[in-house]
Amino acid sequence: MEMFLYGFMQRALIASLLMAVITPLLGLFLVLRRQSLLADTLSHVSLAGVALGLFVNINPTITTLIVVLIASVLIEFLSNLYRTYSEVSIAIMMSAGLSIALVLMSLNQGASSMSVQQYLFGSIVTISTAQVVILAILTVLIVVLFLLFKKPMYVLTFDEETAFAEGLPVRWMSIVFNAVTGVTIAIMMPIAGALLVSAIMILPAAIAMRLGRSFNMVILVGVVVGVIGMVGGLMSSYQFNTPPGATITLLFIAIFIICSLIKIISVRRQVNKQK
């Protein structure tokens, strides 16, 4: 029994470290592009993919990946349609994804409530070896893409008009970024849960932006914060027998509050010294 629990905790720890690397890389661009709600939207859309998979009796991961890829294209299309009010596209897709998920779940009377709850709340301590392998492959892919396209994405994030003038495929870059974010959420969702996966993606980047003074430093700090939050939350959930996803999120929020207070105190001290 102890070896059984050890195996689960080992896989959960590896998954936590992998997610700690992924989340700041994507989360930072989401925050800088003012698309923090995009992660939440794609998690709702992913939930619709899960419901579709359970409804047609197909592996939910497959249907979720297909649904989020379609949603990524639709979000970009709606963003261009409502260019002045880009948040409209996120609101439309979020409501559509949740509505489809709820309707399909209500129609599928044979769906196991445990299966639905696993995707809603996540279960990092019951992660399988296959899920860890998929997460590892995804982590390598995202790191490689980040290293290759960091500069173009940096230009796109801060000045879309300049990116367009330099000949960068702005629309395709946005679609690919949305797709990669959606695929990441789809793979992380059974582990972190649809309700909290967006928070786990955004919070490390938000904390790092309070501490780092350069783009590269923010990325580095984000990874460190991600490791502290993911591993610390996982260990705390094991000790106190609380839900891992919720515990990790609360630890990130606590770190954010502490860092914000330290930042405020530091700024006030500098102002007082200048006086």
Side-chain angles (χ1 to χ4, degrees), residues 97-108:
L98 185 57
S99 299
I100 292 171
L102 292 173
V103 169
L104 289 175
M105 287 177 185
S106 66
L107 293 174
N108 188 14

Side-chain angles (χ1 to χ4, degrees), residues 184-205:
T184 303
I185 288 173
I187 293 174
M188 286 175 54
M189 190 169 62
I191 303 169
L195 298 179
L196 296 172
V197 67
S198 59
I200 291 174
M201 287 194 71
I202 297 300
L203 284 170

Side-chain angles (χ1 to χ4, degrees), residues 130-187:
Q131 287 175 310
V132 174
V133 172
I134 293 172
L135 193 58
I137 294 171
L138 179 67
T139 302
V140 173
L141 178 62
I142 290 175
V143 170
V144 170
L145 289 173
F146 175 78
L147 294 175
L148 290 175
F149 299 102
K150 182 177 74 170
K151 186 175 180 180
M153 279 299 299
Y154 184 88
V155 176
L156 176 66
T157 299
F158 287 100
D159 195 342
E160 189 170 317
E161 293 182 0
T162 300
F164 183 79
E166 290 185 0
L168 293 175
V170 173
R171 179 172 295 183
W172 282 107
M173 287 175 65
S174 295
I175 291 174
V176 170
F177 176 76
N178 292 348
V180 171
T181 304
V183 169
T184 303
I185 288 173
I187 293 174

Side-chain angles (χ1 to χ4, degrees), residues 63 86 107 118 130 144 159 165 194 226-227 230 263:
T63 53
S86 57
L107 293 174
Q118 180 182 355
V144 170
D159 195 342
V227 170
M230 294 296 296
K263 190 78 172 180

